[in-house]
Amino acid sequence: MAASGEQNKGRRVQPAWSPPEGVQLPKLRLYNSLTRRKEEFIPQNGKQVLWYCCGPTVYDASHMGHARSYISFDILRRILLNYFKYDVFYCMNITDIDDKIIKRARQNYLFEQYKEKKNSPAQLLDDVQTALKPFTAKFNETTDLDKKQMLGRLKVAVDAAIGPLQETLQKGAADSDVVSKAKKLLDEAKDLLSDWLDHQNGSQVTDNSIFSILPKYWEAEYHKDMEALNVLPPDVLTRVSEYVPEIVDFVKKVMENGYGYVSNGSVYFDTVKFDASEKHSYAKLVPEAVGDQKALQEGEGDLSISADRLSEKRSPNDFALWKASKPGEPSWDSPWGKGRPGWHIECSAMAGSILGESMDIHGGGFDLRFPHHDNELAQSEAYFENDHWVRYFLHTGHLTIAGCKMSKSLKNFITIKEALSKHTARQLRLAFLMHSWKDTLDYSNNTMESAIQYEKFLNEFFLNVKDILRAPTDITGQFEKWEAPEIELNKSFYDKKASVHAALCDNIDTRSAMEEMRALVSQSNYYIAAKKNTKQNPNRMVLKSIATYLTDMLKIFGAINGTEQIGFPVGGSGETTDLEATVLPYLNVLSEFREGVRRIAREKKVTEVLQLCDALRDDILPELGVRFEDHEGLPTVVKLVDRETLLKERDEKKKVRMPRLSLKLSKAGPGP
C-alpha cells in the first residue's frame, strides 16, 4: 500500500465534469381553449403532429375574416414545421353541403331559368311588384339592424329602378329604351326575385348536381385566394359530398353506443344522455353557452329551423346528426330514409377517417367554439367512447375593420381579392405577424401602414448589407479583426435570437418575436452608421449572419417565398436573386462610370453634366426599379427596389422640394 501511495504521489487528480448551472431552455406552450390556459405542447406520437382545421363553407367569395384564420394557422403550422421541426400532418375540410349552399344554389338556378324565359318588360315589372309584397313584410319584421340595413338598401335600389321602367312603358317609348330600363330593374331586383322564385318553386329543384355547381366554383376561388396569400395547401383536403357513406356509418355507431335517436326520419344527438354519462360531459369548450338557442339554431341552419323540426327533439339542446331532406334539398340514401348530413357531423366523420380516434390539434375561428366544436367533441367522444378526441384546441381571434365588426350593411365587407388589390400578400402577413394569433386583429389603415413601414425598414437593412457584401475584397479580406463594436453586436445578436426563441415558445408569440427582430435591425443599422462615420468598413461576416438569420425567420413565417440567402425577392412574382446576379454587375459598371463623370464635371465645373448625372439617379433609374444613393467621400450604393416604391419616394421628394423652391424664388425677388 505504501509503495502504491508513493507511485501516485505528485499526480494531478482529474477534476469531475459538471454542467453549467441554471441553464433551462424554454419549452413550447400553446394556449389550449379546452383548459383556457397555456399548456406545454406534447404531441401523442413524438415529433408527429396530427392537425385538423375547419375549412370554409364555399358559397361566396372568401373575405378577410377567413384570411384571419387561414393566414394565422399557416403561420403556426410553418413555425411548428420549420422552426420547431415537428412532422405536421395537416387535414382540412371543405363544407360543400350546407343550408346556405342549398338555398343559394337553388336561387341561382331558378333565377337563371327565369332569365332564359325572356319575359316581357311588363311581365318583369309585374313580377317584381309581386315579389316586393313578401319582401316588404320581411323587411318590416326584421329586427337585426345589420340585416335590416341590407334589405333597406335593396328595396331603395329596386324602387328606384321600377319608376323609370313604368314611365317608359306608359309613354310607349322606343324598344331600346324599354329594354335598357328592364335590364336595369332585373339587375337591381336579382336578390329579391331569387328569394321570391325560391319560395314559389324551390321545392321542385331535386337534381343533386344543381347543388354542386356553386360550391365547386367557390372552392376553386378559395384555393386561388389561398395561393395568392402564400398559404400552404393542406396535406389532405376532405369534402363533405365525398364522405357521405362514412358520415352515415359514423351516425350508426353513435346510435349503437346509445347517444343518438331517430325522429321523423332525422337523427339527433342526445345531449342529456351524453352529459349524464360518467365518462363524458357536454360543452367542454363553452359550458356557459349551453341553452343559447340563438347559437344552437344558427348551428342547425336556416332551412332546418321550423316548429316541426324543433318539436322532433327530446331536448332543445340536441342537434342534428342526419337531416331528413325536404323537397328542394339534395338527398342521399341512409337507414333512416333520404337525407343529408348535419353540419357538425361532417368534421367528426372526416377527421376520424383520416386522423383516427385522437388528434393533437384542432383549429378554427373563435366563433366556432360553440356550438360547432362543442358538438364535434361530444359526438366524436360518443363514437370513440373516449374523452380525448382533441388534445389542444386552437382558436384564432376575431377580425374587425377599423374597429367595427365586418358587415355588408356597414359597407366594410372586404374580400381577400379586394384586400390584395390594395396590399401585397407579404404586407398582409406581416400585419398578422405583428399581432397575437388568438386576439382580435383590427384591419385598418393604421395596421397596414405599420406593416408597410416594417417591411420597408427590413428591406432597407437587407439592401445595405447586400451592398456591403458586394464590395470587392480577396478571400482573406472577408475576415476582418473583431473589435469591441463587433463583439458587442454579435452578443446582442445571440441575445435577440434567444429572445425570439423564448417568444415563439410562449404560445408562438410572433408579435414579440417581430419586435425583437426589429430591435436587432436597429442595432445593426447603428453599427453600420458608426463604422461609416469613422470611414471604416463594417464587418461583413457578422452582418451576413444577422441578415441571413432574419431572412430565414421571415421564410419560416411565410413572409419570404424564395431561395435568396438574404432579403426579399427582387423583381416581383416569380423572380428572385437571379435578377440581382444578372443585373448588378452592369449597374455597378454604370455607377463607377457615373462617379468618374461626376468627378471630372466637378473639377471642370460643368454643371450641365452634373445635372444629367442627377437626372439619371432621380428620374431615369427609379423607373427601372434601381436606386443610386450618393454618399460624400464613399462609393455610390446600388440597390434594386420595386419600381412602385421608388416612384412613390420620388413623388414625396418632389412634394418636399416644391415649397422650398417656391420660397427660394420668392426671396430672390422679381427678375430684371
Side-chain angles (χ1 to χ4, degrees):
M1 291 294 294
S4 177
E6 288 296 327
Q7 288 176 353
N8 291 328
K9 192 175 182 180
R11 289 186 181 179
R12 289 187 61 188
V13 178
Q14 187 69 28
W17 179 86
S18 60
E21 295 180 3
V23 176
Q24 188 172 0
L25 293 175
K27 296 177 180 178
L28 174 60
R29 301 172 72 84
L30 297 176
Y31 183 85
N32 188 353
S33 297
L34 276 170
T35 60
R36 301 191 185 188
R37 62 174 181 260
K38 295 175 188 176
E39 306 279 7
E40 184 180 347
F41 183 58
I42 305 174
Q44 300 169 109
N45 299 306
K47 297 295 283 186
Q48 184 188 42
V49 175
L50 301 178
W51 187 337
Y52 180 83
C53 183
C54 279
T57 300
V58 283
Y59 71 101
D60 207 340
S62 299
H63 52 70
M64 283 303 291
H66 296 123
R68 171 56 170 146
S69 281
Y70 299 124
I71 293 177
S72 295
F73 282 132
D74 186 66
I75 291 168
L76 299 186
R77 178 186 175 191
R78 287 172 181 268
I79 290 171
L80 288 180
L81 190 66
N82 300 318
Y83 185 84
F84 289 107
K85 304 301 180 183
Y86 286 106
D87 182 8
V88 178
F89 184 62
Y90 193 84
C91 176
M92 190 188 81
N93 77 298
I94 294 287
T95 297
D96 59 354
I97 302 173
D98 177 80
D99 287 39
K100 293 186 181 74
I101 293 172
I102 293 168
K103 190 173 181 180
R104 180 73 62 86
R106 209 164 57 194
Q107 289 178 342
N108 287 354
Y109 172 75
L110 292 170
F111 184 74
E112 288 303 315
Q113 277 195 325
Y114 181 84
K115 283 174 62 178
E116 288 174 9
K117 289 181 180 178
K118 297 183 178 178
N119 292 313
S120 67
Q123 181 64 53
L124 170 64
L125 182 61
D126 186 55
D127 288 342
V128 170
Q129 289 175 326
T130 302
L132 263 173
K133 293 174 183 177
F135 178 85
T136 302
K138 179 182 177 181
F139 171 76
N140 292 334
E141 293 168 2
T142 300
T143 56
D144 185 295
L145 292 177
D146 194 36
K147 290 181 181 177
K148 200 172 186 75
Q149 286 184 40
M150 282 193 294
L151 294 174
R153 278 207 302 272
L154 174 58
K155 189 175 185 302
V156 168
V158 172
D159 287 340
I162 285 175
L165 179 57
Q166 280 180 321
E167 189 177 339
T168 54
L169 286 171
Q170 289 168 359
K171 287 181 178 179
D175 287 347
S176 60
D177 196 20
V178 173
V179 169
S180 173
K181 298 293 191 300
K183 185 179 183 305
K184 173 71 172 175
L185 178 58
L186 185 64
D187 290 342
E188 295 292 356
K190 178 184 175 182
D191 290 344
L192 181 146
L193 281 171
S194 296
D195 199 42
W196 175 66
L197 291 165
D198 189 45
H199 277 94
Q200 282 191 315
N201 306 313
S203 62
Q204 299 171 26
V205 181
T206 56
D207 185 352
N208 271 14
S209 64
I210 291 169
F211 301 101
S212 65
I213 296 169
L214 180 79
K216 280 182 180 177
Y217 173 81
W218 287 115
E219 182 191 333
E221 291 300 301
Y222 164 80
H223 291 310
K224 290 175 188 174
D225 287 341
M226 293 302 103
E227 184 177 7
L229 290 171
N230 193 30
V231 170
L232 293 172
D235 296 308
V236 178
L237 184 77
T238 61
R239 300 179 184 88
V240 184
S241 60
E242 297 171 347
Y243 277 79
V244 174
E246 288 86 350
I247 290 170
V248 169
D249 289 341
F250 198 98
V251 175
K252 282 184 191 175
K253 181 71 178 297
V254 171
M255 293 182 69
E256 289 169 7
N257 289 346
Y259 300 109
Y261 59 91
V262 180
S263 180
N264 201 23
S266 294
V267 182
Y268 292 95
F269 187 82
D270 193 332
T271 55
V272 174
K273 188 171 182 181
F274 179 81
D275 199 44
S277 168
E278 290 183 3
K279 296 183 291 185
H280 302 299
S281 62
Y282 178 62
K284 290 181 177 179
L285 286 163
V286 197
E288 62 270 26
V290 174
D292 183 343
Q293 288 305 304
K294 182 180 178 183
L296 289 166
Q297 289 180 18
E298 286 177 357
E300 293 296 83
D302 291 343
L303 300 178
S304 306
I305 301 303
S306 65
D308 291 341
R309 280 278 167 94
L310 292 173
S311 67
E312 293 172 357
K313 301 179 180 183
R314 293 176 182 172
S315 164
N317 294 332
D318 294 351
F319 55 90
L321 301 174
W322 182 262
K323 299 176 182 180
S325 291
K326 295 182 290 187
E329 297 178 0
S331 62
W332 288 262
D333 291 327
S334 81
W336 319 285
K338 291 278 189 179
R340 58 190 177 92
W343 177 32
H344 318 295
I345 195 70
E346 64 182 63
C347 289
S348 294
M350 292 187 290
S353 296
I354 301 298
L355 304 179
E357 67 175 25
S358 183
M359 70 186 77
D360 297 296
I361 295 174
H362 191 320
F366 185 81
D367 55 339
L368 293 180
R369 296 178 309 149
F370 184 89
H372 187 49
H373 287 162
D374 266 325
N375 289 352
E376 276 186 48
L377 271 173
Q379 65 201 9
S380 299
E381 293 179 356
Y383 177 91
F384 290 110
E385 285 288 13
N386 66 19
D387 63 351
H388 53 265
W389 184 59
V390 175
R391 303 286 183 173
Y392 300 83
F393 249 117
L394 308 185
H395 288 103
T396 54
H398 288 300
L399 178 123
T400 56
I401 308 291
C404 299
K405 178 183 177 182
M406 185 164 59
S407 160
K408 288 184 178 178
S409 70
L410 296 175
K411 298 183 181 180
N412 67 352
F413 187 88
I414 300 174
T415 66
I416 289 173
K417 283 184 173 59
E418 288 169 341
L420 285 170
S421 70
K422 298 176 182 177
H423 302 105
T424 67
R426 181 189 300 134
Q427 289 164 352
L428 290 172
R429 185 171 290 252
L430 288 173
F432 281 52
L433 285 162
M434 293 166 72
H435 293 79
S436 167
W437 61 267
K438 65 175 286 294
D439 296 333
T440 297
L441 168 66
D442 187 43
Y443 177 73
S444 63
N445 290 335
N446 287 340
T447 298
M448 292 314 303
E449 185 58 30
S450 295
I452 291 167
Q453 291 305 316
Y454 191 99
E455 178 187 42
K456 184 176 180 180
F457 179 68
L458 286 176
N459 193 41
E460 284 302 312
F461 171 68
F462 290 139
L463 292 172
N464 286 329
V465 172
K466 286 194 278 191
D467 179 70
I468 290 167
L469 296 178
R470 281 197 299 268
T473 183
D474 57 35
I475 192 166
T476 58
Q478 298 179 42
F479 302 99
E480 301 98 338
K481 181 183 177 183
W482 282 34
E483 304 285 357
E486 286 76 30
I487 294 170
E488 182 181 349
L489 179 60
N490 191 60
K491 181 182 182 304
S492 178
F493 173 33
Y494 278 86
D495 288 344
K496 292 302 176 191
K497 280 207 289 189
S499 296
V500 168
H501 180 71
L504 295 181
C505 286
D506 183 15
N507 196 36
I508 308 187
D509 179 7
T510 58
R511 178 178 183 173
S512 296
M514 296 286 278
E515 284 304 312
E516 296 294 343
M517 290 163 63
R518 185 203 298 270
L520 176 58
V521 173
S522 294
Q523 291 168 343
S524 300
N525 286 340
Y526 178 81
Y527 164 79
I528 292 170
K531 281 289 185 179
K532 288 188 174 181
N533 285 339
T534 58
K535 307 298 183 186
Q536 293 179 293
N537 292 324
N539 186 284
R540 300 159 65 100
M541 298 309 289
V542 68
L543 289 174
K544 181 180 179 181
S545 296
I546 291 170
T548 301
Y549 164 75
L550 292 169
T551 303
D552 288 343
M553 291 306 301
L554 291 169
K555 287 179 182 177
I556 287 169
F557 295 162
I560 292 179
N561 189 27
T563 58
E564 47 284 314
Q565 186 181 14
I566 292 176
F568 299 124
V570 177
S573 178
E575 297 183 65
T576 58
T577 48
D578 288 341
L579 181 66
E580 286 187 311
T582 303
V583 171
L584 278 169
Y586 299 98
L587 290 176
N588 286 331
V589 170
L590 174 62
S591 173
E592 290 170 7
F593 176 75
R594 176 175 169 272
E595 285 183 31
V597 170
R598 291 175 72 217
R599 184 174 61 255
I600 294 170
R602 280 195 294 267
E603 291 172 358
K604 303 292 185 181
K605 298 182 179 179
V606 186
T607 56
E608 293 84 357
V609 173
L610 288 172
Q611 289 170 357
L612 284 173
C613 290
D614 288 347
L616 175 68
R617 178 195 64 202
D618 298 335
D619 300 321
I620 298 171
L621 290 178
E623 292 283 355
L624 302 174
V626 178
R627 184 199 288 153
F628 275 8
E629 295 178 359
D630 294 327
H631 299 279
E632 189 66 35
L634 296 171
T636 297
V637 175
V638 180
K639 296 178 179 178
L640 290 184
V641 185
D642 66 278
R643 178 175 177 272
E644 289 73 20
T645 298
L646 292 179
L647 296 184
K648 185 178 179 182
E649 287 178 359
R650 186 177 68 184
D651 292 343
E652 288 173 353
K653 286 177 182 176
K654 285 181 179 178
K655 287 178 184 177
V656 172
R657 253 196 327 260
M658 288 304 295
R660 292 177 182 172
L661 181 60
S662 299
L663 181 62
K664 186 176 180 181
L665 291 173
S666 65
K667 286 183 177 179

